Amino acid sequence: RRLRRKPCNPHLLLCIVFTFLLMLPTMNSKPYLTSFNMDMHYGLLTLTFSETMMSKFFDATKVTLQNMESYYNCTDSQTAPACNVSSGAVRIPITSNSYTSVYNATSLYVSIGSSDYNDLSLASTIATSASDTWLVMSENVTVSSSDLTPSRSVDDGFAMKAS
């Protein structure tokens, strides 16, 4: 007796292909910062990413806080840092005396070090509210728990506003 093979269910096959196509853009994508919050009372910066974090690989020195979206005022032919600094712009990089810990699967706490905290406290036009707290971050921050893929950068001119 010969076994007959059943034909493939076209709906099931379509479902499998559709699921694969939905997953395709995320398979090789870089993790990215989705939001952040700066709590000056506790000196705590909370960063939320699109993927699970590994705090031991996160380099807080790649994070800079500033008081406006564009620190540099560039013309079309210029690129930062060759541009002029925007009027009233304040920028405070996070230094190595900050401590990073995991908040939950996708969020990190960065406890701002005392010198950075003092710099932020003394600057009257940054980190007083969400409206004057913006963040830029270099690309080489390694955050993903799955494959240590560098995260996307948050560039000046496209700085992220605190939530």
Side-chain angles (χ1 to χ4, degrees):
R1 178 171 153 182
R2 199 169 153 191
L3 294 174
R4 285 185 55 186
R5 188 171 165 232
K6 289 185 177 182
C8 178
N9 181 337
H11 297 291
L12 178 64
L13 183 59
L14 183 62
C15 182
I16 292 170
V17 169
F18 183 70
T19 302
F20 176 76
L21 290 175
L22 284 176
M23 291 174 46
L24 194 58
T26 61
M27 289 171 66
N28 287 320
S29 66
K30 292 182 177 185
Y32 57 92
L33 186 67
T34 60
S35 65
F36 82 97
N37 184 7
M38 179 68 209
D39 183 338
M40 281 300 290
H41 182 73
Y42 295 106
L44 199 61
L45 178 64
T46 304
L47 304 169
T48 304
F49 289 88
S50 62
E51 292 187 17
T52 302
M53 303 295 99
M54 290 183 73
S55 65
K56 67 181 180 178
F57 293 111
F58 183 79
D59 185 357
T61 65
K62 304 301 180 186
V63 175
T64 298
L65 296 173
Q66 58 193 47
N67 67 339
M68 55 183 62
E69 185 175 11
S70 296
Y71 180 77
Y72 294 105
N73 184 11
C74 301
T75 63
D76 289 338
S77 62
Q78 295 176 311
T79 58
C83 312
N84 296 322
V85 173
S86 298
S87 177
V90 176
R91 176 180 260 191
I92 298 176
I94 303 301
T95 60
S96 60
N97 66 356
S98 296
Y99 174 76
T100 304
S101 61
V102 175
Y103 168 61
N104 65 29
T106 59
S107 294
L108 291 177
Y109 278 148
V110 178
S111 181
I112 303 297
S114 59
S115 64
D116 296 335
Y117 183 81
N118 289 338
D119 290 345
L120 286 166
S121 296
L122 292 172
S124 61
T125 60
I126 185 171
T128 62
S129 69
S131 64
D132 67 5
T133 309
W134 297 76
L135 180 142
V136 292
M137 184 175 66
S138 299
E139 181 181 49
N140 60 357
V141 176
T142 306
V143 295
S144 175
S145 65
S146 57
D147 60 4
L148 302 180
T149 303
S151 68
R152 290 186 215 161
S153 63
V154 179
D155 298 321
D156 186 60
F158 302 97
M160 182 176 286
K161 189 176 184 178
S163 54

